[in-house]
Amino acid sequence: MAFPKTPDWLVYSLVVSALVIWSLRLRENADAPPAPPAPDEVEGALLGPITPFDPAVTVNAPDIPFQPASGTAFSISRDGLWVTARHVVEGCRRPAIMVGGGRAVAADVRLAPRADIAVLLTRGGSDAVPVMAPYALRAGQRGFHPGYPQARAGEVASRLLGRETLRVRGRGQRDEPVLAWAEVGRTDGLGGTLAGLSGAPVLDRQGRAIGVTIAESPRRGRIYTTSPDTFGPAIRGVQKADEPLTGRIVTVDNYGLVADDLRRELRVAQVVCLSA
């Protein structure tokens, strides 16, 4: 029994296909990673400089002895330099960074003189969060706040509203320029106050810290962070030019995962005040 002859065109097609597949496998692949996402359509114009006409919000700080509390800090140097909010550690005799397993590392404190910012010093540290200050800000841009609200892992997403003046009355009385953000999302199941998020970085979409989270207004749904005008001078020269930095694109779809990674890598950590 004779088998039908395979058409010549089919043989040639199979040979050509094999050659094409083989050549594609040998081709060098030097594709660049995807470009960052385009700016959101809701982003507005650049924010202008501080003016005396910026809206103001008043915060009363009772003049009472220091009450131990927890907050958040983020690494800006593998040498053991961290940034947090000044009010988290001011008056604390034994501040410490939690490193997991119920263990904590003692830290020394340097307080910024004109802003709610403090730098903590430990023996050794974690990979740094990239810092971007000064920074061109746009109304409506997104911000992401990974940290430890209510002393447990959590994060918040926000949109920039504009500049305001934070008027602290009582202990540590001062007027401080801040940025006001509208909360637009948070960890599923996280309700109520964001106490404990103070000291957390506010990240832009490139994963760079552009300020420190310092206060909230629950009734207004607002979060307040330091402005570049105070954040930049407070950390100037602290992060070395050769510091190995890695950032990650942050979006509303992945900011929870990014926050988890930052906490797992101890680039964002919990700050506590140890009992004397």
Side-chain angles (χ1 to χ4, degrees), residues 47-122:
L47 260 63
I50 299 171
T51 74
F53 305 104
D54 291 336
V57 59
T58 301
V59 175
N60 293 314
D63 191 10
I64 58 177
F66 175 79
Q67 300 293 318
S70 66
T72 303
F74 58 99
S75 172
I76 58 171
S77 172
R78 294 188 68 179
D79 292 337
L81 298 174
W82 311 74
V83 172
T84 187
R86 174 175 178 151
H87 72 265
V88 171
V89 295
E90 187 173 18
C92 175
R93 294 182 179 180
R94 297 182 62 196
I97 300 289
M98 298 297 298
V99 295
R103 296 176 296 121
V105 176
D108 294 326
V109 179
R110 294 177 183 172
L111 302 177
R114 300 181 183 85
D116 195 352
I117 300 173
V119 175
L120 305 180
L121 298 86
T122 61

Side-chain angles (χ1 to χ4, degrees), residues 17-269:
S17 299
L19 290 173
V20 170
I21 294 173
W22 178 73
S23 63
L24 289 176
R25 287 186 175 182
L26 293 180
R27 188 182 65 177
E28 180 182 4
N29 184 2
D31 294 341
D40 296 338
E41 295 181 359
V42 297
E43 288 190 7
L46 288 170
L47 260 63
I50 299 171
T51 74
F53 305 104
D54 291 336
V57 59
T58 301
V59 175
N60 293 314
D63 191 10
I64 58 177
F66 175 79
Q67 300 293 318
S70 66
T72 303
F74 58 99
S75 172
I76 58 171
S77 172
R78 294 188 68 179
D79 292 337
L81 298 174
W82 311 74
V83 172
T84 187
R86 174 175 178 151
H87 72 265
V88 171
V89 295
E90 187 173 18
C92 175
R93 294 182 179 180
R94 297 182 62 196
I97 300 289
M98 298 297 298
V99 295
R103 296 176 296 121
V105 176
D108 294 326
V109 179
R110 294 177 183 172
L111 302 177
R114 300 181 183 85
D116 195 352
I117 300 173
V119 175
L120 305 180
L121 298 86
T122 61
R123 292 186 177 181
S126 304
D127 288 342
V129 174
V131 170
M132 189 64 179
Y135 184 76
L137 299 165
R138 291 185 179 274
Q141 74 176 65
R142 294 190 184 276
F144 304 95
H145 313 250
Y148 289 87
Q150 302 177 25
R152 58 192 180 98
E155 53 278 331
V156 174
S158 64
R159 279 198 178 277
L160 180 59
L161 296 174
R163 294 184 181 274
E164 292 194 16
T165 298
L166 188 67
R167 291 178 175 167
V168 180
R169 297 296 178 258
R171 179 169 56 87
Q173 180 169 309
R174 68 185 184 281
D175 288 354
E176 179 179 343
V178 297
L179 299 178
W181 304 75
E183 180 185 330
V184 297
R186 60 169 62 188
T187 306
D188 187 27
L190 175 64
T193 179
L194 296 176
L197 195 63
S198 290
V202 52
L203 305 177
D204 67 3
R205 291 181 306 162
Q206 279 69 49
R208 303 171 297 189
I210 59 177
V212 183
T213 306
I214 58 175
E216 68 166 327
S217 177
R219 291 185 179 180
R220 304 174 71 188
R222 294 189 178 184
I223 301 169
Y224 298 98
T225 69
T226 58
S227 76
D229 310 273
T230 55
F231 183 53
I235 64 168
R236 183 173 294 129
V238 176
Q239 191 172 81
K240 298 178 181 178
D242 60 350
E243 184 75 32
L245 301 174
T246 55
R248 180 176 171 184
I249 299 298
V250 193
T251 68
V252 292
D253 296 319
N254 75 353
Y255 75 96
L257 297 176
V258 172
D260 288 339
D261 288 342
L262 291 172
R263 286 185 292 259
R264 188 179 304 111
E265 297 164 2
L266 278 182
R267 300 171 77 182
V268 171

